[in-house]
Amino acid sequence: MTDQNEALRRRGLAFLRSKKALIHNAKVTMAYAGAKRLIAVIKANGYGHGDVWVARTLYDNLHVHDFAVATLAEGERVRQAMPEEEVQIVLLGVQPAEFAPEMVAQRLAPVAGSLDWLLRAVAALTQSDTNGVLSVHLAVDTGMGRLGAKSQEELAAMVDFVRTCPKLSLAGVMTHFATADEDNPGYYCQQLADFMKMVTGLGIEKDKWHLANSGSALFHRDDVPTDNIRVGSVLYGYNPAMQDRALPVELKPVASLVGRLWGVHLLKKGESLSYGATYTAKKDQWVGTIPIGYADGLKRVLSGMSVLVNGKREKILGRITMDQIVISLSERVPINTQVTFIGRDGEEKITIEEMADFGHTIPHELLTGFSDRIPRVDVAE
């Protein structure tokens, strides 16, 4: 389903996405960071936007050919849609070593966090009689505490093993910053110093380093190597630092979320609504029902937040339920009137940052939580 009106007619909801905004964000981020290579992070279904959609858009328009996902299943789906030889897909995070043969078959490059993982991966390749070579990215744990070498000795042992094993090839070396988008320069600088100390002297070509995430690319471009950047949030057009830091470039939101009123009625003074009867009308008022709830990704903690109707701010009344919400209406409006959850309506707008701030969370969590019950629709540009 690709037509906005049809999506709204059939489901009452549409997750709108802009190729133009995605391309713009990639361009300005690379230009600002001085990056020569972009590893586009498209895990969690492209942060909710559609992993293949993001990958194809960036490849077809900017010839970005490096992508990062989180799981083997994600990697296989993207590979099936992106069979081009130059397309490289990195598997971030921990992967079961016994699936090394599948990774070779799909040309997926896992991140290896230890010599033990490499040994088990080679054993799996040997047992399966796989002829191909497994490309690996070696992780350096400088402070995230999830996986990776913690000393130069550990990293050196991994590098030596990869270089001497005919079943492996070194695709990259990486780390991940914990506070790049926060006001904690001490921790960030220590992570950077530890990475540089551990990598220096091991003869790993600099063009294989990738450590600049979105926060680094935007806020630390003069401190960290940015020839290669591995970014996610900035591609989708929001500030990873939220309100804590102003963006140095103009990013354009890729996603908007809209719905339609499928019910409009008068709530009488003294009447209550939704589970728990937490909202009671103090006077007669018009309200509207929209077919969206926490099963669609509109989390219960967003109860009470603003939405836009005809360019005016209204409120979600009572608790968000699994499949429906009720909103205030300043006046009676027709059935099928559009409601904006994220995006602009007239002079008003609601950003994903505003929604996240209201819900005491981050944009990443909200965007990746919008379920596939909401149709993804390309906007006409």
Side-chain angles (χ1 to χ4, degrees), residues 288-329:
T289 304
I290 309 166
I292 187 173
Y294 56 78
D296 301 289
L298 194 70
K299 299 179 182 297
R300 291 179 84 241
V301 295
L302 299 175
S303 300
M305 73 163 287
S306 296
V307 299
L308 303 178
V309 180
N310 292 331
K312 299 177 182 178
R313 283 186 176 251
E314 302 288 357
K315 296 286 186 182
I316 297 175
L317 304 178
R319 291 175 179 166
I320 293 172
T321 67
M322 184 179 290
D323 311 299
Q324 300 179 71
I325 62 169
V326 179
I327 66 169
S328 65
L329 294 173

Side-chain angles (χ1 to χ4, degrees), residues 113-135:
S114 67
L115 179 59
D116 176 70
W117 191 95
L118 292 170
L119 290 167
R120 288 186 288 115
V122 170
L125 292 171
T126 302
Q127 292 170 8
S128 69
D129 295 324
T130 299
N131 294 322
V133 174
L134 179 67
S135 296

